[in-house]
Amino acid sequence: MIKRTLKVNGIDRMVLAEPDTSLALVLRENLGLTSVKVGCAQGQCGSCSIILDGKLIRSCTRKWAKLKDGAQITTLEGIGTPGNLHPVQMAWIAHGGAQCGFCSPGFIVSSVALLAENPSPTREEVRDWFQKHRNACRCTGYKPLVDAVMDAARVMRGEMTMEDLQFRIPEDGRIWGTRYPRPSAIAKVTGTWDFGADLGLKLPQGTLHCALVQAEVSHANILSIDTSEAEAMPGVFKVVTHKDVKGRNRITGLITFPTNKGDGWDRPILCDDKVFQYGDAIAIVCADSDRHAQEAAKKVKVELEQLPEYMSAPAAMADDAMEIHPGTPNVYYIQKVAKGEDTRPIFDRDDVVIAEGDYYTQRQPHMPIEPDVGFAYQDENGKLFIHSKSIGLHLHLFMIAPGLGVEPENMALVQNPTGGTFGYKFSPTMEALVGAAALATGRPVFLNYDWYQQQTYTGKRSPFITWLRMAASRDGKLLGMETDWTVDHGPYSEFGDLLTLRGAQYIGAGYDIPNIRGEGRTVCTNHAWGAAFRGYGAPESEFPSEVLMDELAEKLGMDPFDLRYANVYRKGSTTPTGQDPEVYSLPEMMDKLRPKYEEARKRAAANSTAEIRRGVGISIGVYGSGLDGPDTAEADAELNADGTVTIYNCWEDHGQGADMGSLGTAHEALRALNLTPDQIRLVMNDTSLAPNSGPAGGSRSQVLAGQAIVNACQQLVKAMTRPDGTLRTYDEMVAEKLPLRYNGKWTAPANDCDENGQGNPFCCYMYGVFMSEVAVEVATGRTTVEAMTIVADIGKVNNFLLVDGQIYGGVAQGIGLALSEDYEDIRKHSTMVGAGFPYIKQIPDDMEIMYVETPRPDGPFGASGVGEMPLSAPHAAVINAIYNACGVRIRELPARPEKVLAGLKG
C-alpha cells in the first residue's frame, strides 16, 4: 500500500491504495469521484480525463505508484455543480453535447484545460486538441461538442453571457418542435448521472463481484469444467456453472417465422456441452472483490475438444462443414422477394442497360465508450431484479426467464442510466449471467465488462454478402432488379430471420422498381453473434443498391443525381415490399439538395490536384419505424395530488434522449392542462413500475411509445374535462370516483410481409438524402471526408436538439463503416484503435442538416422516427465520392487506404 496526500478539487485528501491501481480507480473508489469514467482503460477514449498539476491526462493509464505526494488534481466535480455551472457545462447543454453522457465529463474537463491554455481557439484547434488527447465520442458526431467549446470560450471572454446560452420557452409555452434541453442534461454535464459502474460502487456490503471464465476458442466440445482450485482462492464465495442454472440454461431467440429451421433455443446462458464463439461464458466467479474474482477466474480449468471454426458464411456453407448446432442446418432461414412480373425476360431484352456487382458489408462493432455493466439481487419478497443497459426490458425478461427457471412475474428488469448502445443491447448480454449468479449465491452480484470483453463478447453487425443487378431503359427508367444476399449471423439465431427479411425490404429502397426477384439466407457461423446495430439491415442492404445506382448511371451516361431523381418514389410508386409509401417527399428533398450538389461538384473539380483528388457522392437512405406488422406499445398517464402528471413507460434510452422524447410528446398531448415541463414527471424503464412500451429498436419509440403516451394523455384529459369544457381538479376526480391513472395503448396499422417479402410492414418511414465530399490522397489511398450534407424527412420534429445529434452521430458511424471500422480479427480488432474507431479528425466539422418536415398520418403529432435513418446509407455516399474523386470503385467495406491504393495502382 502507498499513502499519498493530494489536493483534490482544492481540498487536501489522504489516500491509501495499492501501487498498481490506476489513478482513475483511486479517484472513483477511494474518493467517490464518479465523474471520472472508465471506458477502454487503455488511454484510447478520454472518458477518464482529469487535470493533474495543470496538465490534462488520462487517469486510467497513470498508476498510483507514479503519483507524487502533494499532486493537485481537478475532476469535473471541481469545475461546476448543478447549482453553479461552468460556461463549458452550460454550453454543453445548449448544444446537446451530452447525448448518452458517458464521455461528457472527460470532454468537459478536456475543454476546460484547453481554454485555460488557449482562450480563443479556432474550431480546428479545438479539433486538434480532442484528437491529441484521445477524447472519443460515439454519439454526437463531434460537431455539437466543438460548437459548445466555441460558445463557452465566448462566455469566458465576456462576448456572451450564460443567459444567452439558456433555453427560453416560447411565449405560447410549447416545447414540441424546439431545442428544449433533455431532463438529464444537467446531471450528465456535472458527472452526477450515475451509470451502471457508478451504481455498482453504491451497492450494499456483501455484494459479490463477478468475473467471467470465457472461451478462448471459437468452436469446441466441453469435456470438463474443474472449479475446485478457483473456489479455494481468497475471497471466493462461489463459482457458478451451468449446473447451478435451474431453468433451461438457454436464452430464447423468440423465433417467429415458421420457415426457420431452428427452434430459437440455441444460445446457452453458461456453456454446458459446447463453445460456439470466442468469449462464450463458461463460468462466473463470485467473490468479495473484483481483484479476487479475476484472480480466481484464471484458476478454473476447462478441458476442450477443438472443433473446426467456421468464421465466415462461405466456410459454414461448404459441403463438408459440420452443423454448428447439431440437428439444425447452418443455413437455417431462407427469405424470398418477388414483386411484379418475372424479371428474367427483362434482363434478356436488347433494349435495356444492365449493371451488376458483388458487394460486402463488414462485421461492424458498436464500440460504445461505456462497456457492458449490470447487477442483480432479490428483493425482500424474493423477486429477482436485474439492472443493466437493456434497451428491450420486457423483451429480455421473456427471453431469459425460462432459461433461469424463474416465472416472469417473479422477475423485473430495470435500465440503468446508460452509455450509448447503438443496438447491441437489443440482445441480452449479461442479464441472464447476473441473474444466474444472484440466484445461485443468494447475494447481490455485480458484473462490469472490460473493453476487451465488450468487444469480444457482445454482438456485432452481421456481414452481408450481396450480388445485385438492375435493368433500366435507355432513358433511365428502372425496370427490374435481381438480388441474392447471405447473412453471416454468428452462432445464435436471435433476430437473424428478421435481419434477413430486411434485405427484401431495403435492397433498392427509395426507388420505383416494378419487378423484383431475389433470395436471401441466414447462416450460422462461429464468429461474433449478430446483434442489432443502428440501421439494422439497411446499411447492409442499401449499400449495394446505392453503389450500383452510380454504376448504372455511368453505363447510361447519366449523372447519378439525375438517375435517382427520375426513379425516386412518387405517387403510384411502391416500395420493394409492394407498399404505398406514406409520403412522397424524396423529389422535394432532392430539389433541396440539387444546388448544393452542383456547387460541390464544381468545388471538387476546382480543388483537385495531382496529389489530392476530390469528389462528390450521393445516396438515398430509407428506413421504417417499427418492428414489422402490428407492433404495439403501452404507456400510462396519472394525475397527481398537486395537479402534476406522471408518465410511466419503458421507452428505453441508449443515448438518443428517451426522457426528452417522452417529455416533449406528453407536454404536447397535455396542452389543455397548461402544464410547464417541470410539472410532468417521468417514471421510466422499470418493468415493475411501468407498462410494456416495447424495445427501443427499429426507430420505433417516437412513433409507437409516442402514440401510446398521446393515447394515455388524451384519456386523462377527457376524464378531467367536464361537460362545459372546464377541467376537474384532482380532488374533484377523487370525489367523483374517477380513475387517476390511464393506460394508453397503440398498435401500428401495418401487416407482416408474406413469404415473398410483400406486405405493409411499417406505417411510418424515414427518408434521407446524403451528399459526401471527399479527398483521396493519391500516394497513400487515404480518404478524408471533408463535408457531409444531409436532407432529412423524419416527419414533424419533436426536439431539434436531439434529432440534430442523432443525425450527426449516425452519419459519423456511417463514415466509420465506410472507411475504417471492422471486427474480423478477434485479436487485432479488440481495441478501439485496432477496430478503426473514428476520432474527431476522421469526422468532418462541415456537416449540414436540412429538414423537410412532412407530417406522418400515423405518427404522434406527425412525427416519425430518426435514429436509424442517418446510418442507412451515408457510407454509400462516401464510397461513391471516392469513385468520383479517383475512379476507384470499392465494393467491399471498409475502404481502408491500402484497398483504395490498390485500386489506384490497378
Side-chain angles (χ1 to χ4, degrees):
M1 288 287 183
I2 296 177
K3 183 182 75 170
R4 294 278 187 267
T5 299
L6 312 174
K7 188 173 286 292
V8 182
N9 297 324
I11 300 171
D12 288 335
R13 307 291 296 270
M14 189 279 285
V15 184
L16 194 66
E18 296 280 1
D20 63 343
T21 305
S22 75
L23 176 55
L25 291 183
V26 171
L27 293 170
R28 288 176 54 78
E29 296 176 1
N30 296 60
L31 296 175
L33 298 170
T34 53
S35 77
V36 180
K37 307 302 180 191
V38 177
C40 68
Q42 297 171 325
Q44 295 183 8
C45 75
S47 61
C48 64
S49 296
I50 65 166
I51 300 171
L52 173 63
D53 293 329
K55 296 293 183 182
L56 184 70
I57 70 157
R58 281 154 275 168
S59 58
C60 73
T61 59
R62 186 66 59 96
K63 296 300 183 186
W64 180 242
K66 296 290 186 181
L67 217 64
K68 296 179 181 178
D69 207 51
Q72 298 191 38
I73 291 174
T74 301
T75 69
L76 185 59
E77 288 88 347
I79 287 172
T81 64
N84 185 27
L85 295 175
H86 187 279
V88 174
Q89 294 168 315
M90 181 65 81
W92 231 254
I93 293 172
H95 290 282
Q99 285 190 31
C100 84
F102 190 83
C103 73
S104 297
F107 264 99
I108 291 170
V109 171
S110 183
S111 301
V112 169
L114 162 64
L115 296 176
E117 188 174 300
N118 181 0
S120 301
T122 64
R123 295 186 70 89
E124 204 55 33
E125 286 171 336
V126 175
R127 286 162 55 80
D128 287 341
W129 178 271
F130 288 150
Q131 182 78 18
K132 173 184 174 182
H133 293 284
R134 290 289 195 194
N135 289 113
C137 178
R138 192 64 164 157
C139 290
T140 63
Y142 298 106
K143 185 179 186 296
L145 311 185
V146 181
D147 292 340
V149 175
M150 298 305 287
D151 269 356
R154 291 183 185 100
V155 172
M156 294 170 72
R157 294 194 304 265
E159 299 164 10
M160 288 176 66
T161 67
M162 293 279 273
E163 291 71 27
D164 292 332
L165 291 173
Q166 289 181 324
F167 179 84
R168 293 177 179 82
I169 295 178
E171 289 185 10
D172 65 1
R174 176 173 272 128
I175 62 171
W176 179 272
T178 69
R179 300 177 68 82
Y180 188 85
R182 66 184 75 199
S184 55
I186 289 177
K188 287 176 177 177
V189 303
T190 55
T192 55
W193 187 252
D194 279 340
F195 293 89
D198 307 324
L199 293 171
L201 295 175
K202 296 166 179 147
L203 292 173
Q205 286 189 352
T207 296
L208 298 172
H209 294 257
C210 296
L212 300 184
V213 179
Q214 293 176 273
E216 295 182 0
V217 299
S218 297
H219 197 198
N221 287 323
I222 296 176
L223 303 179
S224 66
I225 304 170
D226 183 357
T227 64
S228 57
E229 187 177 353
E231 290 186 308
M233 292 285 286
V236 173
F237 184 85
K238 183 175 179 61
V239 179
V240 180
T241 70
H242 67 91
K243 296 177 182 178
D244 299 295
V245 181
K246 302 304 181 186
R248 294 187 63 165
N249 189 37
R250 290 296 183 274
I251 296 169
T252 174
L254 297 175
I255 296 300
T256 55
F257 293 87
T259 51
N260 195 305
K261 296 175 184 176
D263 62 4
W265 294 95
D266 49 31
R267 184 175 159 207
I269 294 173
L270 288 168
C271 292
D272 37 32
D273 299 322
K274 282 186 74 173
V275 164
F276 297 100
Q277 69 161 38
Y278 188 97
D280 266 349
I282 299 171
I284 311 168
V285 177
C286 305
D288 60 358
S289 71
D290 181 65
R291 187 184 290 260
H292 282 153
Q294 297 292 346
E295 289 172 352
K298 299 172 187 175
K299 301 297 183 180
V300 175
K301 294 182 173 64
V302 182
E303 186 181 0
L304 299 173
E305 176 193 13
Q306 181 80 48
L307 296 172
E309 297 178 340
Y310 304 112
M311 302 301 280
S312 69
M317 294 166 68
D319 292 340
D320 62 349
M322 66 186 295
E323 290 180 340
I324 293 171
H325 294 281
T328 300
N330 291 346
V331 178
Y332 59 89
Y333 178 73
I334 301 290
Q335 175 64 54
K336 304 279 190 181
V337 57
K339 174 189 174 183
E341 303 293 328
D342 184 5
T343 51
R344 285 172 295 181
I346 297 170
F347 285 92
D348 289 340
R349 284 164 45 179
D350 294 330
D351 63 339
V352 300
V353 177
I354 299 170
E356 70 175 276
D358 294 288
Y359 304 88
Y360 173 79
T361 53
Q362 74 274 37
R363 189 174 284 100
Q364 185 185 21
H366 300 71
M367 295 194 283
I369 310 299
E370 180 198 35
D372 211 31
V373 60
F375 53 90
Y377 58 91
Q378 291 174 281
D379 72 0
E380 65 276 13
N381 300 313
K383 188 169 187 171
L384 177 64
F385 277 76
I386 298 173
H387 289 240
S388 72
K389 294 178 67 174
S390 169
I391 58 168
L393 294 168
H394 288 86
L395 174 70
H396 290 174
L397 190 154
F398 289 104
M399 289 177 72
I400 69 174
L404 290 173
V406 178
E407 293 301 319
E409 59 268 24
N410 291 326
M411 185 191 306
L413 263 65
V414 182
Q415 189 191 33
N416 291 328
T418 292
T421 86
F422 316 110
Y424 88 89
K425 284 303 299 182
F426 200 91
S427 292
T429 52
M430 62 162 49
E431 284 77 8
L433 296 175
V434 293
L439 292 170
T441 62
R443 301 266 289 270
V445 298
F446 173 75
L447 174 61
N448 192 9
Y449 288 6
D450 60 29
W451 214 83
Y452 179 81
Q453 289 175 303
Q454 171 67 40
Q455 195 73 338
T456 55
Y457 185 59
T458 58
K460 305 292 178 283
R461 186 184 299 284
S462 295
F464 271 44
I465 302 168
T466 305
W467 169 83
L468 177 64
R469 69 173 179 169
M470 290 181 180
S473 63
R474 297 191 188 281
D475 62 356
K477 170 63 180 169
L478 293 176
L479 300 174
M481 180 176 78
E482 294 180 348
T483 188
D484 182 276
W485 67 101
T486 298
V487 180
D488 175 349
H489 199 58
Y492 304 128
S493 63
E494 59 195 53
F495 318 124
D497 38 24
L498 186 61
L499 178 62
T500 306
L501 171 62
R502 292 291 181 261
Q505 294 168 338
Y506 293 133
I507 298 175
Y511 305 106
D512 183 21
I513 307 174
N515 308 295
I516 302 175
R517 291 292 185 276
E519 180 178 296
R521 62 206 56 81
T522 321
V523 183
C524 181
T525 72
N526 293 119
H527 215 310
W529 93 70
F533 194 150
R534 188 185 213 156
Y536 192 62
E540 303 94 312
S541 302
E542 294 174 19
F543 172 71
S545 53
E546 283 303 307
V547 173
L548 191 68
M549 282 294 283
D550 265 37
E551 299 185 49
L552 181 59
E554 185 175 35
K555 283 198 165 190
L556 288 163
M558 294 180 69
D559 186 289
F561 191 103
D562 294 334
L563 178 62
R564 287 175 170 82
Y565 190 80
N567 288 283
V568 291
Y569 297 153
R570 291 178 174 83
K571 197 70 175 172
S573 302
T574 56
T575 71
T577 71
Q579 180 178 7
D580 293 330
E582 85 285 33
V583 296
Y584 299 90
S585 55
L586 279 167
E588 179 186 352
M589 296 167 69
M590 296 195 74
D591 286 339
K592 211 173 183 74
L593 182 63
R594 186 182 289 275
K596 293 183 176 292
Y597 173 73
E598 292 171 353
E599 291 168 10
R601 291 289 291 260
K602 291 176 184 175
R603 187 163 53 246
N607 293 321
S608 285
T609 65
E611 295 79 19
I612 304 289
R613 307 298 300 168
R614 287 183 164 83
V616 180
I618 60 168
S619 62
I620 288 174
V622 179
Y623 204 81
S625 295
L627 296 181
D628 295 81
D631 190 5
T632 298
E634 295 183 47
D636 289 355
E638 181 178 33
L639 180 65
N640 303 315
D642 59 358
T644 62
V645 171
T646 299
I647 302 296
Y648 300 85
N649 67 39
C650 283
W651 179 339
E652 297 93 350
D653 196 340
H654 40 141
Q656 83 278 23
D659 56 350
M660 189 61 236
S662 297
L663 179 61
T665 305
H667 188 264
E668 186 69 6
L670 294 169
R671 291 275 291 161
L673 304 187
N674 199 30
L675 299 174
T676 57
D678 60 357
Q679 291 177 304
I680 298 173
R681 180 174 172 240
L682 304 176
V683 175
M684 300 177 64
N685 298 323
D686 182 333
T687 64
S688 70
L689 300 175
N692 186 355
S693 305
S699 294
R700 64 181 294 282
S701 298
Q702 178 62 74
V703 175
L704 275 296
Q707 287 285 40
I709 291 169
V710 171
N711 182 261
C713 291
Q714 287 174 340
Q715 292 183 58
L716 174 60
V717 171
K718 183 179 179 181
M720 293 176 67
T721 304
R722 299 189 187 92
D724 64 0
T726 59
L727 294 173
R728 295 180 175 90
T729 64
Y730 174 89
D731 291 337
E732 290 167 336
M733 295 279 286
V734 172
E736 295 182 46
K737 295 185 169 56
L738 292 171
L740 299 171
R741 181 164 170 164
Y742 294 84
N743 175 248
K745 188 172 182 178
W746 194 78
T747 300
N751 59 58
D752 292 316
C753 291
D754 63 18
E755 66 276 7
N756 287 317
Q758 300 302 284
N760 301 319
F762 311 110
C763 65
C764 293
Y765 285 82
M766 304 161 278
Y767 303 93
V769 183
F770 304 91
M771 182 177 77
S772 176
E773 300 175 56
V774 308
V776 179
E777 191 176 86
V778 174
T780 64
R782 180 174 175 267
T783 300
T784 300
V785 179
E786 297 186 320
M788 290 292 300
T789 304
I790 309 98
V791 185
D793 183 0
I794 57 169
K796 301 299 289 183
V797 173
N798 178 342
N799 185 285
F800 281 98
L801 203 58
L802 265 60
V803 300
D804 281 359
Q806 284 294 288
I807 293 173
Y808 291 138
V811 168
Q813 290 175 347
I815 293 170
L817 178 62
L819 299 180
S820 62
E821 297 179 28
D822 201 2
Y823 181 71
E824 185 62 35
D825 185 316
I826 290 172
R827 303 289 183 181
K828 180 180 177 182
H829 296 154
S830 63
T831 67
M832 291 178 67
V833 171
F837 187 99
Y839 291 92
I840 192 168
K841 295 303 287 284
Q842 282 74 59
I843 304 300
D845 193 42
D846 185 356
M847 287 200 279
E848 180 183 3
I849 306 169
M850 297 184 287
Y851 290 100
V852 173
E853 292 187 81
T854 312
R856 298 301 195 269
D858 294 312
F861 310 115
S864 189
V866 63
E868 250 80 12
M869 182 279 292
L871 188 44
S872 58
H875 54 311
V878 173
I879 297 305
N880 288 335
I882 291 173
Y883 182 79
N884 180 249
C886 66
V888 175
R889 179 71 71 194
I890 301 296
R891 294 188 180 92
E892 296 186 3
L893 297 179
R896 290 201 181 97
E898 58 269 24
K899 201 176 290 184
V900 177
L901 184 61
L904 286 165
K905 290 179 176 179

